[in-house]
Coordinates of all heavy atoms in Angstrom, one line a residue:
I25 N -3.4 16.8 -14.4 CA -4.2 16.0 -13.4 C -4.0 16.7 -12.1 O -2.9 16.9 -11.6 CB -3.6 14.5 -13.4 CG1 -3.7 13.9 -14.7 CG2 -4.3 13.7 -12.3 CD1 -3.1 12.5 -14.8
A33 N 1.6 15.6 5.5 CA 2.8 15.9 6.4 C 3.5 14.7 6.9 O 4.4 14.8 7.7 CB 2.4 16.9 7.5
V88 N -7.9 13.5 -8.4 CA -7.5 12.4 -7.6 C -7.1 12.8 -6.2 O -6.5 13.8 -6.0 CB -6.2 11.7 -8.2 CG1 -6.0 10.4 -7.5 CG2 -6.3 11.5 -9.7
V90 N -4.9 11.3 -3.1 CA -3.9 10.2 -2.8 C -3.9 10.1 -1.2 O -3.7 11.2 -0.6 CB -2.5 10.5 -3.3 CG1 -1.5 9.4 -2.9 CG2 -2.6 10.7 -4.8
T117 N -2.4 1.1 4.5 CA -2.7 -0.3 4.6 C -3.6 -0.6 5.7 O -4.0 0.3 6.5 CB -1.4 -1.1 4.7 OG1 -0.6 -0.5 5.8 CG2 -0.6 -1.1 3.4
M151 N 6.2 -10.3 -5.0 CA 5.0 -10.9 -4.8 C 4.7 -11.9 -6.0 O 4.2 -13.0 -5.8 CB 3.8 -9.9 -4.6 CG 3.9 -9.2 -3.2 SD 2.5 -8.2 -2.9 CE 3.2 -6.6 -3.4
H171 N 10.0 -0.3 10.0 CA 10.3 0.6 11.0 C 9.4 0.5 12.2 O 8.2 0.0 12.1 CB 10.3 2.1 10.5 CG 9.0 2.5 10.0 ND1 8.1 3.2 10.7 CD2 8.4 2.3 8.7 CE1 7.0 3.4 10.0 NE2 7.2 2.9 8.8
V218 N -0.6 -19.3 5.7 CA 0.8 -19.0 5.6 C 1.3 -18.3 6.9 O 0.8 -17.2 7.2 CB 1.1 -18.1 4.3 CG1 2.6 -17.8 4.2 CG2 0.5 -18.8 3.1
V229 N 13.1 0.5 6.9 CA 12.1 1.2 6.1 C 11.0 0.2 5.8 O 10.0 0.1 6.6 CB 12.6 1.8 4.8 CG1 11.5 2.5 4.1 CG2 13.7 2.8 5.2
V267 N -7.1 7.8 -13.1 CA -8.1 8.8 -13.7 C -8.7 8.2 -15.0 O -9.7 8.7 -15.5 CB -7.4 10.1 -14.0 CG1 -7.0 10.8 -12.8 CG2 -6.2 10.0 -15.0
S282 N -0.4 -2.2 -18.6 CA -1.4 -1.5 -19.4 C -0.8 -0.4 -20.2 O 0.4 -0.1 -20.1 CB -2.5 -0.9 -18.5 OG -2.0 0.0 -17.6

Side-chain angles (χ1 to χ4, degrees):
I25 301 175
V88 190
V90 180
T117 49
M151 288 186 264
H171 60 91
V218 179
V229 178
V267 295
S282 63

